Amino acid sequence: MAHRANFYNSINRSRSFTLLESIVAIYVFLTGVVGAMTLANQSLSAASVFKDELVAANIAQEGVELLRNMRDTDFLMMQSSGPCFPPSCDANQAFNPPAACQDLNIGCRFTNLLALTLRSATGLTPCLNTVASGRECNFLKKDSDGFYQYDTGIVTKFDTRLFITPSNIANRTTIPVYPVHDWVVRSVVSWNRRFGTMSYTVNSQLTPWLE
Amino acid sequence: MHYQGFSLLELIVAVGLFAVVATIAIGALLAISKAGKKAFYIQTNQDNVRFTLETIAREARTGFCYQDTSTNPGEVCPAFATVNYCKGQYAGPLEGCFQFRNSRGQDIVYIISTSAPLCGGSSPISCILKSTSAGAAGSFFPVTAKEVQIVNLKFRVFGEVSVGEYIQPRVMIVIRAQTPGINSLSTVLDVETSVSQLQLDRLLFAL
């Protein structure tokens, strides 16, 4: 009996956790759990950001490629009436993007990505909104074949803008009749995420139509 | 003497609490492992698509004689008697074939395939095959991994005609890749890009 009384008393006397200790213990435990959860969550959201970036990078790259194609097609068209040596070429047909493209506050986009010929005279459309007023240059649409374009399909979150400005550095004045300066090309793809806007930019330089 | 054990009520509450905490903990653990798996699938998908697009784009940019499934023989490459392997292949909604001549003079073909032996996996499978000799029998090898299903592959060539036409050739490429996995684990990736021929078309053939 005495034994038991001692045992009982010893339990009774043993120190229990104080409130502070409990709080610290729970805090430490929660930090560990929350840390692990955050890590898993972030790795997933990072993967999805990369997915958007991969798509955007390829669309931005496509913009630069298509502009180069436009420059080359313009040149071929100029040649269509025969060999093209100054001053027999029609300078009005040379690669010359609309004014909106050259305005860093507006920008432009391709009129129709699935058109057979891309020519600078008709292939570029000014954006409706300024850069400052947000996006909606025209969201790309994705048609049932998987092609991104502007005419038909499901509206995606990607806004594409092209900025094509004359290069001041490499102004060429040897053949003054023609617009013979280099063009600095910026192809910007932007899209909204939960926290703010993301964008992907490809920079390039187009040499004149006539080297 | 007064012995204090746990009362029934205390036990029920304790066990109940334990059950709730255990459920949450196990659920969280499963979610973590699922998220990890999904991140891995997304990664695999992206790696394959990036590699494939990069390979095709780089080679096509310095190449010429672009041809897709609708290109008629004789329309392109007047200087070379190249047979368009892609003509008629997967005609209609599937335009998954692209042929061109690379800078080393090889006739390259990229094509979508559902052949298990060629893709190096077990059926059902869908992959991208490449040939460096105009699609000759036995010359195809896979460029995408068997873990990734290529659901959609389309090439659309513009300006491929070289005679009497003044359009610089370009090709639009669309790839849709999917990792198998069930329900929410499956990931789909749609990527598009374009490639424009680097050399001026008419200078190339001196027309």
Side-chain angles (χ1 to χ4, degrees):
Chain A
M1 267 319 199
H3 229 81
R4 286 210 178 200
N6 280 345
F7 178 65
Y8 177 69
N9 285 343
S10 78
I11 286 179
N12 218 13
R13 273 197 308 274
S14 71
R15 222 164 62 78
S16 55
F17 292 114
T18 65
L19 181 61
L20 188 69
E21 284 169 343
S22 315
I23 288 174
V24 168
I26 291 171
Y27 177 76
V28 168
F29 173 71
L30 280 183
T31 311
V33 172
V34 169
M37 291 295 287
T38 315
L39 193 70
N41 192 28
Q42 278 196 353
S43 82
L44 197 60
S45 82
S48 106
V49 170
F50 290 149
K51 181 180 168 182
D52 287 341
E53 282 201 338
L54 178 62
V55 175
N58 278 289
I59 295 175
Q61 178 67 38
E62 176 172 57
V64 171
E65 284 286 323
L66 292 181
L67 274 180
R68 192 160 54 72
N69 186 271
M70 187 176 268
R71 191 263 324 253
D72 290 349
T73 298
D74 278 354
F75 179 60
L76 289 175
M77 288 284 181
M78 285 176 67
Q79 272 204 322
S80 62
S81 52
C84 176
F85 298 108
S88 68
C89 290
D90 181 0
N92 291 324
Q93 296 218 36
F95 179 70
N96 199 11
C101 295
Q102 303 180 37
D103 189 333
L104 291 178
N105 292 314
I106 303 177
C108 58
R109 63 172 177 85
F110 291 105
T111 310
N112 182 2
L113 290 167
L114 296 179
L116 179 62
T117 54
L118 286 174
R119 301 223 41 208
S120 59
T122 53
L124 292 169
T125 305
C127 288
L128 294 174
N129 304 59
T130 61
V131 172
S133 72
R135 308 181 309 130
E136 303 148 42
C137 171
N138 241 19
F139 289 121
L140 271 178
K141 291 173 184 162
K142 189 161 68 176
D143 68 13
S144 54
D145 286 341
F147 286 103
Y148 287 96
Q149 50 155 310
Y150 294 103
D151 296 327
T152 54
I154 306 157
V155 179
T156 66
K157 56 184 163 185
F158 295 109
D159 162 279
T160 57
R161 270 172 211 264
L162 300 163
F163 302 99
I164 311 159
T165 48
S167 162
N168 295 323
I169 308 157
N171 257 326
R172 302 180 186 200
T173 50
T174 44
I175 316 167
V177 184
Y178 305 94
V180 279
H181 44 67
D182 286 7
W183 296 97
V184 176
V185 172
R186 273 180 69 218
S187 173
V188 183
V189 175
S190 56
W191 67 100
N192 270 339
R193 277 191 63 76
R194 218 176 306 160
F195 306 106
T197 305
M198 311 265 300
S199 76
Y200 196 99
T201 306
V202 172
N203 290 309
S204 181
Q205 188 140 352
L206 285 181
T207 52
W209 52 266
L210 197 66
E211 282 287 6
Chain B
M1 206 62 222
H2 176 77
Y3 304 118
Q4 182 163 11
F6 295 110
S7 73
L8 183 59
L9 188 67
E10 286 169 340
L11 265 180
I12 288 173
V13 170
V15 171
L17 269 177
F18 174 76
V20 169
V21 170
T23 311
I24 293 171
I26 290 173
L29 212 66
L30 286 178
I32 289 176
S33 107
K34 200 173 168 184
K37 206 174 269 180
K38 175 144 188 166
F40 173 74
Y41 280 145
I42 293 175
Q43 189 71 41
T44 309
N45 222 358
Q46 289 177 1
D47 286 347
N48 272 278
V49 170
R50 189 183 297 124
F51 171 77
T52 309
L53 263 187
E54 191 76 16
T55 310
I56 299 174
R58 188 170 292 192
E59 200 168 19
R61 195 170 290 131
T62 51
F64 49 96
C65 295
Y66 293 1
Q67 300 161 84
D68 62 14
T69 52
S70 64
T71 309
N72 290 318
E75 273 186 349
V76 292
C77 303
F80 308 102
T82 321
V83 177
N84 182 10
Y85 175 83
C86 289
K87 174 68 182 172
Q89 298 271 359
Y90 295 100
L94 276 164
E95 301 157 72
C97 188
F98 175 47
Q99 179 173 334
F100 62 97
R101 181 168 284 219
N102 73 4
S103 54
R104 294 167 61 197
Q106 298 170 313
D107 289 311
I108 307 293
V109 176
Y110 285 98
I111 191 168
I112 188 169
S113 170
T114 52
S115 155
L118 284 175
C119 291
S122 51
S123 187
I125 192 168
S126 181
C127 70
I128 299 176
L129 298 178
K130 178 183 182 180
S131 162
T132 54
S133 49
S139 67
F140 282 107
F141 54 90
V143 288
T144 51
K146 57 180 184 290
E147 285 80 11
V148 176
Q149 299 279 337
I150 304 300
V151 187
N152 181 21
L153 175 72
K154 285 197 169 66
F155 296 100
R156 202 166 284 179
V157 174
F158 300 91
E160 66 263 55
V161 183
S162 297
V163 182
E165 186 212 55
Y166 301 91
I167 303 168
Q168 179 72 0
R170 67 185 163 102
V171 58
M172 284 180 104
I173 309 164
V174 165
I175 298 182
R176 169 178 286 180
Q178 190 172 9
T179 45
I182 38 161
N183 302 329
S184 59
L185 277 185
S186 173
T187 66
V188 181
L189 183 62
D190 267 310
V191 183
E192 173 191 297
T193 200
S194 276
V195 175
S196 174
Q197 182 179 296
L198 203 59
Q199 285 176 284
L200 265 175
D201 205 25
R202 297 180 68 78
L203 296 185
L204 196 63
F205 299 112
L207 295 173

